[in-house]
Amino acid sequence: MTSYFRKHFFRFAVPAAASFCAFAIVAVVVMITANIIILGAPHISWEFITQPPRAGMTQGGIFPAIIGTFLLVIIMSIAGVPIGTVTALYLAEYVSKKSIIVKFIRFAVNTLAGIPSIVFGLFGLGFFIRFVGKGMDSLLTPGEMIRWGQPNIMWASLTMAILTLPVVIVSVEEAIRAVPRELREASLALGATRWETIRNLVLPNSVTGILTGAILAISRGAGEVAPILFTGAAYFLPHLPHSLNDQFMHLGYHIYIMSTQSPDVDATRGIQFATTLVLLALTFSLSFIAIVLRFHLRRKIIRL
């Protein structure tokens, strides 16, 4: 009787518990999204999207923050995805899984993934601004005004690129290892070199994984605020960044400021939800572009 009960209990209880957890996650996501849309959509307007903030950021729009966030994500992806892809390629193709180098790099990647994001901000302040930036000022413009030794969008983007490196490395490495080993062996048997095999066979078949890593990096990078507090984000700017050594406004930082530093938090609650809605829409749009690109590349590879 006991074994019969256990058999039927686990047959129905495990799927039921798994289904409940899955639907609970979906329900939480739907509730949060619906709450943001209901409270933020009424404040969305053309002026809100295209105008800079004014009157102590209680009126106007968030256009500088939208452009600043977009530029941050693009520069971060340009800097981080190639480095993460090359690192994953080295781990998957050029060294043995049991080598000390692989263990050391994997330990470093896992450690990076577990470091609090605020620590990345302090690292960016110390390394990029204090060390690299001031060194560049000393070499390029000695005795003149500070150009690179101060917070700007370049150092903020590079700090975010380091933050998202573990996500890119893990996803790309998994995609490269998913390419069947028989294809590599057949290519080498036909006389191709290792680099020719990687360039013509491994990379084309793992490009979807590379784009997946880029999508995950965009999702992580667009929403992080702590690393850019010290490295580039500005409290208020009525204009857009004109060069890589300019500060910028960020949607996430703007929400933080409006909810904690505003003289009348209740009066700006609608702006906070509307800014959150725009941040979600921007993140989804960038991820959607990467998903469409990945879909077309996958279809092209299948046709070949």
Side-chain angles (χ1 to χ4, degrees), residues 200-211:
N200 299 320
L201 184 67
V202 176
L203 286 179
N205 283 282
S206 57
V207 68
T208 56
I210 296 173
L211 288 175

Side-chain angles (χ1 to χ4, degrees), residues 38-118:
I38 292 171
L39 296 177
H43 298 274
I44 299 290
S45 64
W46 181 247
E47 180 188 4
F48 185 75
I49 300 295
T50 59
Q51 296 296 320
R54 62 177 187 272
M57 295 195 292
T58 58
Q59 298 179 16
I62 55 172
F63 184 65
I66 295 174
I67 298 300
T69 305
F70 177 77
L71 292 176
L72 173 78
V73 171
I74 296 299
I75 298 173
M76 175 199 72
S77 301
I78 292 174
V81 174
I83 295 175
T85 302
V86 172
T87 304
L89 194 63
Y90 177 75
L91 292 174
E93 295 292 331
Y94 285 99
V95 288
S96 169
K97 287 183 178 179
K98 298 180 180 178
S99 71
I100 297 177
I101 297 175
V102 169
K103 292 180 180 178
F104 179 76
I105 295 176
R106 209 172 295 285
F107 172 77
V109 172
N110 293 334
T111 303
L112 275 179
I115 294 176
S117 57
I118 190 69

Side-chain angles (χ1 to χ4, degrees), residues 184-218:
R184 295 180 178 85
E185 293 173 351
S187 176
L188 296 173
L190 291 173
T193 63
R194 173 173 285 189
W195 168 241
E196 289 173 337
T197 301
I198 292 172
R199 185 184 62 188
N200 299 320
L201 184 67
V202 176
L203 286 179
N205 283 282
S206 57
V207 68
T208 56
I210 296 173
L211 288 175
T212 300
I215 293 169
L216 296 174
I218 289 171

Side-chain angles (χ1 to χ4, degrees), residues 96-179:
S96 169
K97 287 183 178 179
K98 298 180 180 178
S99 71
I100 297 177
I101 297 175
V102 169
K103 292 180 180 178
F104 179 76
I105 295 176
R106 209 172 295 285
F107 172 77
V109 172
N110 293 334
T111 303
L112 275 179
I115 294 176
S117 57
I118 190 69
V119 177
F120 284 94
L122 295 173
F123 168 78
L125 174 64
F127 179 73
F128 289 121
I129 297 176
R130 299 290 183 185
F131 180 69
V132 180
K134 287 198 171 183
M136 290 175 63
D137 285 334
S138 300
L139 290 174
L140 300 176
T141 57
E144 298 181 8
M145 62 181 298
I146 297 175
R147 296 189 61 187
W148 295 101
Q150 61 182 358
N152 58 53
I153 193 169
M154 170 65 87
W155 304 141
S157 301
L158 293 182
T159 303
M160 295 299 293
I162 295 175
L163 172 71
T164 55
L165 265 183
V167 176
V168 179
I169 292 173
V170 171
S171 60
V172 175
E173 185 183 359
E174 290 298 323
I176 292 174
R177 291 192 185 280
V179 177

